[in-house]
Amino acid sequence: MKFSYYWIWHLLLLLINVVSSRDWLIDKITDVTTLRITPLGTLLLSNTLISREFLLDPDFATIDFRDLHTTNSSLLRCVKPEAIITLDGIKYNIGGIMPNTQCAYFNRTEFWRTKTLDTTAFHFSTYEVGIPKAPFKYTPKRSAPADIQWPPKGIHLSIYFKAPYYAPLAHKYVTVVVNYEMYDGIPLIAKWLDIIDISGRGDIDLSINSVELLAVNQPWSPFGHSWLYIEDDQPPGHGTNVLWTYDVEVNTIPGSFPPLVNCTYQTDHEIVVPLVTQLTSFRVHELVVGSSDEERRALSKHRLIRLLAPHTQENPIFFHMINASSSAVRAVIDQMAEVGFEMLIYSFGSGFDMESDDEKYIEQITSDIAYAHSKGIEVGGYDLIALTRQVRPDWMAIDPSTGKPRDSVCFASGWYDYLLNRTLTFMDRTGLIMVETDGPYGGYSCASTTHAHHRNNDDSVYRQNILQANYFKILRERTVYINQPDYYFYQGGSKTGMGYNEEQYSLPRWMDISVSRQGMFDDTYQRIPTVGWMFVPLTVYHGGGAAAQFEPLVAHQIEYEWALAQYLGAGVAACYRGFRLYDTNETKALVTKWVNFYKKYRSILIRDIIHIRRADMQSIDSYMHINPYSNDIKGLIMVFNPTSEPVDTNLPVPLYYTGLSDIAQVSEQEDSWVFYTLARDYHIDLPIVLPPLGITWFLIR
Ligand SMILES: *[C@@H]1O[C@H](CO)[C@@H](O)[C@H](O)[C@H]1NC(C)=O
Ligand SMILES: *[C@@H]1O[C@H](CO)[C@@H](O)[C@H](O)[C@H]1NC(C)=O
Ligand SMILES: *[C@@H]1O[C@H](CO)[C@@H](O)[C@H](O)[C@H]1NC(C)=O
Ligand SMILES: *[C@@H]1O[C@H](CO)[C@@H](O)[C@H](O)[C@H]1NC(C)=O
Ligand SMILES: *[C@@H]1O[C@H](CO)[C@@H](O)[C@H](O)[C@H]1NC(C)=O
Ligand SMILES: *[C@@H]1O[C@H](CO)[C@@H](O)[C@H](O)[C@H]1NC(C)=O
């Protein structure tokens, strides 16, 4: 059985070309998203890769969700309400129809014959069609790809719902808007809710139970092959959930496989939020991958984040400065300018204080930043803004289980206003244009009833999340670069830790380099290269002493070059953390060499990674960047020999995602172009000759 499934998956991958004779991951899809009324009177939203079909009568409901691209099949198993909310303790479905008689699979004959209005639900009143709205302003900067489209192109559909006749009068002033966006050229839908009380009285208690309820067929769920990737736009663990279960309504039909996804808020207790004028839910992203192939799944998700968080593709080369004294900072800025580094970050432990109102300190920082700007270098700094941060007692979060202050600030207290004011004031005065926040709000609740921005425990998680997001949005609109150890990317965050273990940078240098290259290889399935940072502990980071640190650099040139090559070659910014970038002309030359390489090939180095061979330290290892849309360089391969032996071998390189199909031209380090014929499965065998500890790279067009 296992064997045949394996082949079915691989056949599906090959079938992509058969089903639609084009692949959105390598061909530019020029079809635009359309919305039309079908002969059945339904509404069909389609971008030719996927489609979603809505019933309008007797009520609004999703009645189909199709993959037109990879499997050419329907995902949908059953009709569910569009969403579920609770007003003052009364639960309302939003649209939908009475439950189908059976939901093991979609029986359209039966559906059209029996569909019946659910009289207790909020009812469809009207819809509006527009274009996608940007959740924040963004103009590409810092060498982000030129082809960024913001907001993305596509269709925004707003569907309006009104309370049922039996609802209490107060609820009749409530309108629920279900928002859908479908984007051009990607099998992706976003969905979210606006709940509006036009009475403006603010005395309704609202809970959002489900932003999306989708009954799908088994292969699309994690119980099958996870062909449908669903995420919400919030950082994980902050009170929102994408819950996959088996549908209890259907479990009464023994022997069927009824996966249901429920996109909801926290599960420990319901959020209850006072509805004052308008509340907006989190967004759900539904990406129809249609494949179990690991690389294909990764590339699809990467397209999603590039589309909806385009600023994550900015990738300045930064230095983490541990000494904030004016003379030390200026000395390192001189070095950075010499070798082409782009951003200085006052590191943790440097004594940097973004919240300061000490005039003398602000004057010093302003003048040092002006010096950096005169050399074309941007400057940012570190601040501990939440979690373990201690502030005024009345701004601390109250633990609901003990009634005592937590070890953390509440982000929905006066702290938010204070911090935002300090941040903006400092930036306005000094020219600081980057922040590294430590401890974005981490998803804990607060039982205080006296805080400025939440009522009690029931709305504290919801409110803190919104304010943390708002803090980042305001900075994003000011073009600030934001390092945050969390996942606030759809709210404006630029970068997070790549996924490393904090201890690995305390290992002896060669172990650190090797383990880090392995980890980065794995993490770039989850993340695009530019969204994660790594570390190069020029001075001791957590521990490990002289064996771990790269200082003195002249004594560890080979390791230093490996670090530069493996991170810059991956398009991954690392925190080069210390007090200088080079200590001799030789180490300066190494940094210059790899920074120049990065800048020359930046447009391909910041693109996605195809995983060729994970480092096992037994032979060579390799990864490749691809850009199938490029008219010139479509691939860049990095190859490392971490062994103490010379290597002379053939490396099979899979070229499918470069978009090349017959002939590849390959050049080793800008040497002459060699022609290769692609095999039936799009690979070429690339001869590799490397000395012990050798590194090389190849261009493909
Ligand atoms: C996809 O399936 C539909 C029916 O479900 C069929 O009408 C259509 O021709 C198929 N498309 C392709 C490209 O096979
Ligand atoms: C679909 O429903 C119709 C009408 O109830 C029924 O006759 C038919 O057998 C059903 N088809 C399947 C495949 O269950
Ligand atoms: C969705 O999840 C919420 C939170 O756990 C739960 O209260 C609700 O019953 C779930 N809805 C369905 C239909 O499973
Ligand atoms: C920071 O740099 C200054 C100037 O180079 C130096 O005098 C001072 O000792 C340094 N501080 C530390 C902690 O290294
Ligand atoms: C910060 O607060 C001060 C004092 O209330 C106010 O004058 C100033 O305008 C605020 N600045 C910003 C950027 O919000
Ligand atoms: C380093 O390079 C500079 C400029 O090329 C040169 O003047 C200097 O003598 C060199 N230093 C050493 C120690 O070689």
Side-chain angles (χ1 to χ4, degrees), residues 87 92 143 158 208-209 236 255 293 320 326 340 393 423 441 468 487 556 581 595 616 683 687 695 698:
L87 302 176
Y92 294 101
S143 308
S158 314
I208 299 176
N209 307 87
D293 180 81
H320 251 248
S326 210
T423 308
Y441 162 65
Q468 175 70 73
Y487 218 81
H556 308 299
L581 267 171
V595 169
D616 59 6
H683 94 273
I695 300 172
F698 299 84

Side-chain angles (χ1 to χ4, degrees), residues 93-114:
N93 287 350
I94 310 302
I97 50 167
M98 293 299 283
N100 305 48
T101 50
Q102 72 87 5
C103 267
Y105 48 85
F106 208 120
N107 183 333
R108 286 183 191 273
T109 310
E110 173 148 331
F111 166 77
W112 285 109
R113 192 177 295 170
T114 61

Side-chain angles (χ1 to χ4, degrees), residues 211-222:
V211 175
E212 173 71 311
L213 262 188
L214 207 55
V216 303
N217 291 311
Q218 181 88 343
W220 303 92
S221 77

Side-chain angles (χ1 to χ4, degrees), residues 115-137:
K115 62 183 168 45
T116 316
L117 183 72
D118 173 2
T119 54
T120 63
F122 265 62
H123 297 307
F124 168 61
S125 70
T126 181
Y127 68 86
E128 275 172 12
V129 188
I131 54 171
K133 297 173 192 134
F136 45 82
K137 282 189 306 221

Side-chain angles (χ1 to χ4, degrees), residues 353-359 361-362 418 422 425-426 429:
D353 181 10
M354 189 174 76
E355 295 163 32
S356 172
D357 52 12
D358 174 341
E359 285 299 322
Y361 179 70
I362 290 176
Y418 175 82
R422 296 319 313 164
T425 304
F426 194 85
R429 294 200 57 186

Side-chain angles (χ1 to χ4, degrees), residues 84 91 209-210 213 243 245 260 262 264-267 270:
I84 302 176
K91 200 172 257 192
N209 307 87
S210 298
L213 262 188
L243 300 176
T245 55
L260 178 72
N262 177 10
T264 183
Y265 281 90
Q266 66 212 60
T267 49
E270 271 184 4

Side-chain angles (χ1 to χ4, degrees), residues 60-201:
F60 189 94
T62 295
I63 60 162
D64 208 354
F65 188 6
R66 296 191 71 87
D67 167 24
L68 308 173
H69 184 58
T70 46
T71 64
N72 195 29
S73 66
S74 175
L75 282 65
L76 206 68
R77 180 177 56 73
C78 194
V79 179
K80 294 285 171 185
E82 283 296 305
I84 302 176
I85 63 167
T86 302
L87 302 176
D88 300 320
I90 305 175
K91 200 172 257 192
Y92 294 101
N93 287 350
I94 310 302
I97 50 167
M98 293 299 283
N100 305 48
T101 50
Q102 72 87 5
C103 267
Y105 48 85
F106 208 120
N107 183 333
R108 286 183 191 273
T109 310
E110 173 148 331
F111 166 77
W112 285 109
R113 192 177 295 170
T114 61
K115 62 183 168 45
T116 316
L117 183 72
D118 173 2
T119 54
T120 63
F122 265 62
H123 297 307
F124 168 61
S125 70
T126 181
Y127 68 86
E128 275 172 12
V129 188
I131 54 171
K133 297 173 192 134
F136 45 82
K137 282 189 306 221
Y138 175 63
T139 312
K141 266 193 84 174
R142 301 184 180 102
S143 308
D147 57 3
I148 287 174
Q149 184 76 48
W150 189 252
K153 287 192 172 153
I155 283 185
H156 181 120
L157 177 62
S158 314
I159 308 113
Y160 295 80
F161 294 86
K162 293 278 182 214
Y165 73 91
Y166 82 94
L169 184 61
H171 299 176
K172 299 215 161 127
Y173 293 100
V174 174
T175 297
V176 175
V177 188
V178 174
N179 298 281
Y180 280 101
E181 281 183 359
M182 187 183 278
Y183 308 103
D184 295 355
I186 179 169
L188 173 68
I189 287 181
K191 179 181 184 181
W192 70 98
L193 309 177
D194 295 314
I195 296 134
I196 304 163
D197 178 7
I198 56 159
S199 82
R201 283 198 302 258

